[in-house]
Structures are given as structure tokens and as C-alpha cells.
Amino acid sequence: MDVKISPSILSSDYANLQSELSRIKNADLIHIDVMDGHFVPNITIGMPVIKALKGVCDIPFDVHLMISDPYDYADAFAKAGADIICFHIECKSNIEATIDRILFLGKKAALAIKPDTPVDSVIPYLNKLSMVLIMTVEPGFGGQSFMQKVLPKIRKIRELNESIDIEVDGGVDFETVKMAAEAGANVFVAGSAVFKSECPEEAIETLRNNALEQISDSTQIRLV
Ligand code: DX5
Ligand code: ZN
């Protein structure tokens, strides 16, 4: 199982996005939080900024849509440069139709669930998805604390599917990354833990190593 670190640019300096990207060259994905002021109270960035960043960055874009109507915007985000289009199961769009549209556009589809949404809701869609995003905070803002109560949801998806990417987002730091990895997650979003550190590249490596250590420990436990 590949471990991937996806730094969230929500915690970066929006006045200097290009140079912020140059501080995370060892990232596996770039996590971009899109908020519409309806699905969540906050408003962030949209297609024009993603398009501009695509021109200066070769790392795949992991676009997290916290918007009410992702179906209506799938084409626009695909065109802007999203590689993974992740939307919420709690949105207003038809879920199946939105996944199908993303796949038709040649992009990877991912579904996100909020902390209080039952994990069973995503199970019918697993075979079409590249990734499931289990939110470990309420979506909307960076810098919140990791909710451990969400860990059983990660375990359940991992039991059902050994190969799907399971991403965690919210409050992931050098310690909580281990709990998420132990539960079965392999893609880790980190905003504050990466961008508020002195050396973001070192923070990415520490997150990666802590996750990898935990995953190899859990595998050994299973083998014994
Ligand atoms: C929150 C966003 C997260 C956020 C994570 O709604 O989806 O991606 O940037 O930030 P940290 O890692 O600081 O909790
Ligand atoms: Zn996010």
C-alpha cells in the first residue's frame, strides 16, 4: 500500500502560492480545498486559481470540493487541472451521476464523508472510486483537532477493500498520522503540520515515515 502525503494549501500563504508550492516538492499530491460558502460557511478558491497553479506545478492535484452542487462544476474543475475530483456524499448532486461524469472526463473520482455521516453510505460506490476521504474534522477550516471517533470508519472501509486509497483530512500531525495509518488510511492531508513548520519538506518526510512505520508494524502483527 503506497503512502501518499497531500499537503493542503489552505494553510499556505495565498499571496505567494507559487513559491509555497516550491517548498513542498516532495509531496505526492497537492490538496486544494474548494469551499463555496453554502456547503460550508467558508469560501476559498476556485477554477481560475487551480488553472494558474497547474501551469507551475507537476504534482497531481487532489481537489477537495466542499460545494453543494459538484455535478454542475465537474467539467470546469477537470478543465482547470484537477487530477482527483473529490466531492461530498452530503452534497445536493446525484452521487452516481457525478462519479460517472468525473470518470467520463478522464479524472479519478473520490467521495468524502463528514465525521457524523455513517460510513455505510459510501459502500455502494466503492467499485467506481479511486479514493474515499474520511474527514477527521468538520469541513470548512484548517487548524482543527483530529477526531479519533472517526477511526472505526477507516477500519471498516479497509476491511472491505484492501487496495482503495483511504485519505484522512483534518488535524493530521506527526502523532495522529500514526493512528490513521494504523486504522488503514494511506493518503494523508496535512495543512498546518506542513505549512506552519520551519521546513515543509522535512515535515512531509516525517509524516511519511511515521505512517510507513505504523503500516509495517500493523502488517507484522497481522502476519504473526
Ligand atoms: C478542512 C480542509 C482541510 C484542511 C486541513 O475543511 O478540508 O484540508 O486544510 O487542515 P489541517 O491539516 O490544518 O487540519
Ligand atoms: Zn480538504
Side-chain angles (χ1 to χ4, degrees), residues 8 31-33 64 66 133 135 169 189:
S8 165
H31 188 85
I32 304 178
D33 289 302
H64 179 191
M66 284 160 274
L133 166 52
M135 291 300 300
D169 183 7
V189 177

Side-chain angles (χ1 to χ4, degrees), residues 10 14 27 33 51 64 77 79 94 108 138 143 167 183 191 193 222:
L10 186 63
Y14 272 14
D33 289 302
K51 187 174 177 212
H64 179 191
F77 281 102
K79 201 167 164 217
N94 179 289
K108 290 183 174 173
E138 284 301 330
E167 181 174 58
R222 274 201 293 276

